[in-house]
């Protein structure tokens, strides 16, 4: 993976802030304590996505990463991380457990609980972030396997190490037209690793169909503001056909277009009534949630809520009269 960030090209006084912002925006919100002084700090990050999966390939000087209780509590999209140790060693701490990772080892940890990652010798690591709902695994299994080394005694984990260590640095897959094709295999492989480690490989064989509707709707919620959100993109992110997508949602009583439009309208209504409701134009707020035609936006807003966007904003932000 080509580096998305290299502190060699950043003034030393700005390095810590730049690294922090890149990690918060692309991976997860964490506190980062660098070992060396700013002028000796070195970080190279490669960042990419495969459908809903986020990937960070990192090489850096010594660092300690902490997901605090406050940050974990504020999590908007619960995630499970797979950490892949390339060289050197690192320590993963979560749920009162510690695990030391050496080359070829992996471990998972959850964003909804505090954790600490210690890289005293420097970082040569791959971080792969999966939406928690996408894995469709029992909460207890994920809690019990957090900060447990997945390595040489598990042949499925060895396979996963080879697979994910290559996926994380493949520009062709991360940026190419075939990226969405590896989403389902990636999810299936991590499920196989965790269920075999847990001693219940049958879980990996159970179909994900029972949770597919939930995972689809969570994906849509996370991408509501994306004007390119479409049935084809949603289906590709879950490794299914568009026809199957509509069938799954229909069984849950969901009409895709209506469901997306209603939730986008709800977000527009929230923004119009919020503290910054008068800072942006009504048309701009509509566009930011996928309504490119201002007249159409006003019409469907009134049809849904019985009031125009302008009148709704006026109710919540009455102009003062002197």
């Amino acid at each position: 993976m080509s580096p998305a960030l290299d502190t060699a090209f950043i003034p030393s006084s700005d390095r810590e802030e730049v690294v922090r912002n890149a990690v918060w925006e692309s991976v997860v919100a964490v506190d980062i304590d660098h070992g060396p002084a700013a002028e000796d700090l070195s970080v190279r990050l490669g960042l990419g996505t495969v459908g809903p999966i986020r990937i960070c390939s990192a090489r850096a000087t010594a660092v300690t990463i902490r997901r605090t209780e406050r940050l974990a509590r504020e999590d908007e999209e619960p995630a499970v991380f797979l950490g892949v140790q390339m060289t050197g060693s690192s320590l993963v701490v979560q749920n009162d457990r510690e695990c030391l990772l050496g080359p070829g080892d992996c471990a998972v940890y959850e964003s909804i609980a505090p954790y600490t990652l210690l890289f005293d010798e420097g970082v040569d690591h791959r971080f792969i972030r999966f939406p928690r709902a996408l894995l469709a695994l029992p909460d207890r299994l994920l809690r019990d396997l957090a900060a447990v080394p997945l390595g040489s005694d598990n042949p499925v984990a060895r396979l996963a190490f080879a697979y994910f260590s290559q996926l994380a640095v493949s520009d062709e897959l991360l940026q190419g037209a075939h990226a969405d094709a590896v989403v389902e295999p990636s999810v299936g492989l991590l499920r196989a690793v965790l269920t075999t480690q847990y001693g219940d490989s049958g879980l990996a064989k159970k179909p994900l169909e029972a949770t597919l509707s939930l995972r689809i709707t969570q994906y849509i919620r996370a991408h509501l503001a994306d004007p390119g959100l479409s049935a084809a993109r949603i289906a590709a992110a879950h490794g299914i056909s568009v026809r199957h997508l509509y069938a799954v949602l229909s069984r849950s009583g969901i009409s895709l277009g209506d469901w997306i439009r209603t939730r986008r309208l709800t977000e527009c209504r929230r923004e119009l009534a919020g503290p910054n409701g008068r800072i942006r134009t009504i048309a701009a707020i509509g566009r930011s949630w996928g309504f490119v035609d201002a007249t159409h936006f006003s019409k469907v807003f009134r049809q849904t809520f019985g009031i125009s966007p302008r009148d709704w904003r006026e109710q919540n932000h009455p102009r003062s009269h002197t």
Side-chain angles (χ1 to χ4, degrees), residues 177-200:
H178 305 296
D180 287 335
V182 300
V183 172
E184 206 66 21
S186 298
V187 171
L189 180 54
L190 182 55
R191 281 173 52 87
V193 171
L194 297 178
T195 54
T196 53
Q197 186 78 26
Y198 197 64
D200 187 356

Side-chain angles (χ1 to χ4, degrees), residues 164-216:
F164 286 113
S165 61
Q166 289 301 307
L167 176 65
V169 295
S170 172
D171 286 331
E172 187 177 15
L173 277 176
L174 297 178
Q175 300 173 8
H178 305 296
D180 287 335
V182 300
V183 172
E184 206 66 21
S186 298
V187 171
L189 180 54
L190 182 55
R191 281 173 52 87
V193 171
L194 297 178
T195 54
T196 53
Q197 186 78 26
Y198 197 64
D200 187 356
S201 58
L203 281 172
K205 300 175 184 177
K206 291 181 180 178
L208 297 176
E209 192 73 15
T211 62
L212 186 53
S213 177
L214 171 64
R215 290 183 286 122
I216 288 170

Side-chain angles (χ1 to χ4, degrees), residues 51-63:
I53 302 170
R54 300 184 197 175
I55 298 174
C56 174
S57 176
R59 293 181 65 91
T61 44
V63 68

Side-chain angles (χ1 to χ4, degrees), residues 266-274 276-277 280 285 288-289 317:
T266 299
E267 291 299 328
C268 291
R269 182 175 65 169
R270 178 186 58 78
E271 282 203 34
L272 287 167
N276 298 321
R280 303 170 68 199
I285 291 174
S288 70
W289 290 101
H317 300 282

